[in-house]
Amino acid sequence: MAIVNLQNVTYKYPLTHTPVLSNINLEVKEGEFVAVIGPNGAGKSTLCYTLAGFVPHFFKGELEGKVEVAGVDLKSTPLNEWVRNVGLAFQNPFNQISGAKYTVFEEIAFGLENQGVPRDEMNRRVDQALTMTGIRDLADRSPYSLSGGQQQRVALTSILVMQPKILVLDEPTSQMDPIGTREVFGVIRQMAERGMTVIMAEHKVEWIAEFADRVVALKDGKILLQGVPADVLTSHLLAENGFGTSRYTSAAREALKFNLWPKHLHLPTTLQEAVDGFNLTSAPSPKERGE
Amino acid sequence: MIKIEIQDLHYTYPGGVEALRGISLTIKPGEQVAMVGQNGSGKTTLVKHLNGLLQPTSGSVLIGGWDTKKAAVAKLAARVGYVFQNPDEQLFSSTVGMEVAFGPHNLGYGDEKVSALVKDALALTELSDKTATNPYDLSATWRKMVALASIISMDTEIVIFDEPTTGQDALSVARIANIIAELRKRGKTVITITHDIDFCAENFERVIALSQGQVLLDGTANEVLGQENILAQTYVDPPQLTRLGKRLRLKETVRNQEEFLAALKKK
Ligand SMILES: Nc1ncnc2c1ncn2[C@@H]1O[C@H](COP(=O)(O)OP(=O)(O)OP(=O)(O)O)[C@@H](O)[C@H]1O
Ligand SMILES: Nc1ncnc2c1ncn2[C@@H]1O[C@H](COP(=O)(O)OP(=O)(O)O)[C@@H](O)[C@H]1O
Ligand SMILES: [Mg+2]
Ligand SMILES: [Mg+2]
């Protein structure tokens, strides 16, 4: 049974003439980690807003088709009920900070406090979440006097701490340092293993290939392609439609022309796949190894 | 020809955070430098010293011999352009055209020169068809382009981009790479902060890695980006093809597809 179910979803913002999402069909299973890729303007953020209920409840506009999450229908459910199931990290982390709190710790505790979670449990959960995103040392700092990447971590942490059934992340690592990005992908993978459903808009295909279960490629509001990362991320359709690919994929594609990538192999999307494939064509000959 | 000289720069924010802890650097006129490092390592704080947005707590910053502590911010603005990490901190005009014209007007250039500079900056950023649009009606990614254009139009000798590729798609990253290549041709000094290490490897000759308010590494891209263990101290991974080259035991450090394939053919 799908926990997220979109059927023939078409959406227009109040002032747009052409649909920003058209005829989207998407089913996501509980505990699945789905990455949404696509060029700028493809509709990734709008899809995130729809899953989070901001479309149509906040943005208004025309939403056609069916959006169902955890068995609840979006159009007939008010936003304050909807958000109990779904947490959204905005593309711009600054939009996320409440403005009501003086420290990072209090900022992250804010949502739990509103839910009336007992203080002991609240402190424990906030502490745990701060550790997961690597910002325990920022707990006493003001949420405003942070670097861009630190702010983004705070925004993400404030959603993770709520442990929503469905986690919707709009480019959550865009300002994070490289190893931090990989770690955050790892944390999100773990959350999915524990049953949280994750839908993430992202450009960073190397880590999508490594961590996501499925990739949805969006272009001009339509789903161009979806499937397991190894298939979608190596599809020639992506290259032809202005999507980025990992350097492993593009190097192997080029290497094919010189017989430096084994013809029978799938193009690589991860470092390990690239190592394995290139070793087949470029492994030192017995002579070179000194045998 | 304006040189940047930074000597033993320390900076502590009013709340007490010690963001820069003794930075010394020289950047020659016309150099293209990428700056990388962990979140909070001090990259933004450092570059905000170059145009006088921040003043050293101790140490000094000289821009073509001018001490930023003494030079008026308005005069520095004619030498150093800084594109903010978050474009929303920078943009305020009601049309793209006005936004991009503001800087050169403010520098006191005549109408004719201003309109030539604006036209050039809009063409470089591919915004020419959006002059009448309100920046806030544009998507975040195009707003970032407006922020770039409004600094490029000031035609400063030093241009600083703070994470220009954040959230940009492949096409737009290529556009930014083109802009940087064009500024290089024009002899500009370009300093770019980025977490996109592949972009860094493909577009810059010199790389500076900061860690906890200090310079961890400074050298050519191949020297710096090959040092996996040291870079890890500041949460930076080498570029994808550099890592792959190492795993395949290629003799030299490679950083882009051309170098990678060339080394592979030799193997
Ligand atoms: N306005 C401020 N007030 C107090 N501390 C600040 C302020 N801005 C930044 N800091 C702190 O100064 C340090 C350096 O921040 P800076 O913004 O320079 O980092 P950065 O390297 O640009 O990071 P990022 O990659 O996340 O953008 C961090 O500890 C940060 O929290
Ligand atoms: N609030 C809004 N009002 C009107 N149009 C919007 C709004 N937000 C986004 N759009 C438009 O919808 C399209 C998809 O945008 P978006 O969902 O932000 O794409 P992505 O996140 O993939 O870059 C774009 O054409 C964009 O300009
Ligand atoms: Mg978006
Ligand atoms: Mg910064």
Side-chain angles (χ1 to χ4, degrees):
Chain A
M1 245 300 277
I3 191 164
V4 173
N5 192 350
L6 272 60
Q7 276 175 28
N8 302 317
V9 170
T10 295
Y11 175 71
K12 278 187 210 141
Y13 284 102
L15 298 174
T16 46
H17 303 292
T18 48
V20 168
L21 297 176
S22 37
N23 205 27
I24 301 283
N25 288 292
L26 179 65
E27 288 187 12
V28 184
K29 290 196 296 271
E30 192 161 4
E32 208 180 351
F33 177 177
V34 175
V36 180
I37 60 172
N40 297 143
K44 302 182 296 298
S45 293
T46 307
L47 180 62
C48 290
Y49 290 146
T50 309
L51 293 165
F54 292 101
V55 161
H57 293 310
F58 175 79
F59 286 102
K60 309 298 177 196
E62 279 170 57
L63 179 69
E64 291 165 40
K66 191 176 85 170
V67 178
E68 219 180 67
V69 167
V72 183
D73 175 67
L74 175 60
K75 284 187 227 169
S76 55
T77 310
L79 194 53
N80 61 345
E81 276 176 40
W82 187 261
V83 296
R84 280 181 215 148
N85 284 327
V86 188
L88 167 69
F90 286 90
Q91 184 165 348
N92 180 352
F94 205 71
N95 292 346
Q96 198 101 30
I97 290 172
S98 68
K101 296 295 175 184
Y102 293 106
T103 70
V104 166
F105 191 97
E106 290 169 17
E107 176 67 35
I108 288 164
F110 191 49
L112 296 177
E113 199 176 84
N114 283 345
Q115 279 187 350
V117 172
R119 185 149 287 273
D120 280 357
E121 184 190 337
M122 184 174 88
N123 288 345
R124 189 174 49 73
R125 278 169 68 177
V126 172
D127 210 56
Q128 210 175 29
L130 286 167
T131 308
M132 281 196 292
T133 52
I135 52 169
R136 267 188 83 167
D137 55 333
L138 299 179
D140 299 326
R141 297 273 303 274
S142 153
Y144 286 98
S145 62
L146 297 175
S147 78
Q150 290 171 337
Q151 230 166 48
Q152 191 167 41
R153 284 165 197 259
V154 170
L156 175 64
T157 312
S158 67
I159 304 300
L160 288 181
V161 78
M162 304 301 291
Q163 297 170 2
K165 272 207 195 79
I166 292 117
L167 183 63
V168 182
L169 306 169
D170 195 354
E171 302 191 30
T173 68
S174 60
Q175 301 189 60
M176 286 189 203
D177 52 53
I179 294 182
T181 297
R182 175 164 28 100
E183 287 177 355
V184 163
F185 266 88
V187 164
I188 288 163
R189 175 76 244 167
Q190 269 175 26
M191 307 286 256
E193 302 289 334
R194 288 190 220 136
M196 196 181 278
T197 306
V198 183
I199 294 149
M200 181 202 266
E202 249 307 344
H203 291 292
K204 296 178 178 170
V205 284
E206 176 176 18
W207 304 128
I208 291 174
E210 199 94 43
F211 292 102
D213 295 309
R214 182 150 54 108
V215 181
V216 173
L218 210 58
K219 167 105 198 241
D220 297 333
K222 300 183 190 74
I223 295 180
L224 182 70
L225 200 62
Q226 60 173 309
V228 295
D231 290 341
V232 174
L233 297 175
T234 55
S235 161
H236 61 92
L237 270 180
L238 288 203
E240 288 157 17
N241 278 281
F243 287 71
T245 51
S246 83
R247 267 49 172 196
Y248 309 129
T249 312
S250 33
R253 192 174 270 138
E254 188 64 21
L256 259 178
K257 297 180 190 161
F258 310 99
N259 290 322
L260 288 168
W261 178 260
K263 278 204 177 54
H264 65 279
L265 274 193
H266 210 287
L267 291 173
T269 54
T270 63
L271 176 60
Q272 192 56 50
E273 287 168 5
V275 170
D276 293 344
F278 281 113
N279 266 334
L280 290 179
T281 50
S282 72
S285 62
K287 204 172 92 207
E288 281 169 307
R289 275 190 264 119
E291 283 168 23
Chain B
M1 299 306 267
I2 295 173
K3 188 154 93 171
I4 300 171
E5 293 160 284
I6 302 169
Q7 274 150 23
D8 197 26
L9 173 61
H10 288 254
Y11 182 78
T12 304
Y13 278 100
V17 175
E18 238 188 301
L20 301 179
R21 302 186 299 127
I23 295 212
S24 297
L25 279 177
T26 304
I27 296 176
K28 291 198 287 276
E31 263 194 292
Q32 315 282 302
V33 182
M35 206 173 275
V36 302
Q38 186 173 11
N39 291 134
S41 57
K43 304 177 297 296
T44 298
T45 307
L46 174 60
V47 298
K48 281 185 172 173
H49 279 80
L50 303 182
N51 69 346
L53 274 179
L54 293 176
Q55 295 288 341
T57 303
S58 69
S60 66
V61 176
L62 303 184
I63 305 293
W66 290 355
D67 188 332
T68 60
K69 273 189 192 149
K70 293 170 197 143
V73 172
K75 287 185 86 180
L76 278 173
R79 293 190 160 182
V80 185
Y82 169 60
V83 181
F84 280 72
Q85 182 165 351
N86 178 0
D88 298 346
E89 284 181 54
Q90 190 183 324
L91 306 180
F92 54 87
S93 304
S94 57
T95 70
V96 169
M98 281 161 67
E99 184 70 53
V100 179
F102 180 83
H105 253 305
N106 227 24
L107 292 177
Y109 297 142
D111 287 349
E112 214 166 295
K113 178 158 183 190
V114 170
S115 79
L117 288 169
V118 168
K119 197 169 161 217
D120 169 69
L122 291 174
L124 257 182
T125 49
E126 297 177 29
L127 281 166
S128 304
D129 59 336
K130 299 188 174 65
T131 40
T133 312
N134 185 321
Y136 282 89
D137 289 338
L138 292 171
S139 65
T141 43
W142 279 108
R143 275 207 302 285
K144 193 102 192 181
M145 281 296 147
V146 178
L148 258 69
S150 66
I151 295 303
I152 291 169
S153 65
M154 291 166 77
D155 196 27
T156 52
E157 283 206 35
I158 298 164
V159 187
I160 303 166
F161 298 128
D162 199 343
E163 297 193 26
T165 60
T166 297
Q168 305 283 352
D169 61 13
L171 211 72
S172 180
V173 172
R175 184 186 307 123
I176 294 166
N178 276 334
I179 293 172
I180 291 169
E182 176 59 28
L183 294 176
R184 168 188 299 148
K185 268 193 226 148
R186 296 180 186 179
K188 307 285 187 197
T189 305
V190 181
I191 302 171
T192 302
I193 296 175
T194 186
H195 293 298
D196 183 340
I197 301 302
D198 299 298
F199 172 78
C200 164
E202 287 155 10
N203 295 286
F204 295 89
E205 289 310 316
R206 177 174 173 192
V207 179
I208 298 172
L210 292 193
S211 173
Q212 302 187 15
Q214 295 181 317
V215 175
L216 180 69
L217 290 167
D218 179 1
T220 66
N222 283 25
E223 280 162 15
V224 171
L225 297 175
Q227 315 230 35
E228 188 155 2
N229 294 333
I230 300 179
L231 284 175
Q233 289 173 28
T234 194
Y235 272 65
V236 171
D237 273 330
Q240 292 176 15
L241 294 179
T242 310
R243 278 181 273 153
L244 177 57
K246 287 255 146 79
R247 291 279 304 273
L248 295 175
R249 301 178 190 287
L250 299 182
K251 285 192 194 70
E252 55 262 61
T253 299
V254 298
R255 61 173 158 139
N256 56 34
Q257 185 163 307
E258 210 185 334
E259 290 180 9
F260 171 73
L261 291 174
L264 200 63
K265 283 175 197 161
K266 270 195 262 165
K267 197 176 161 181

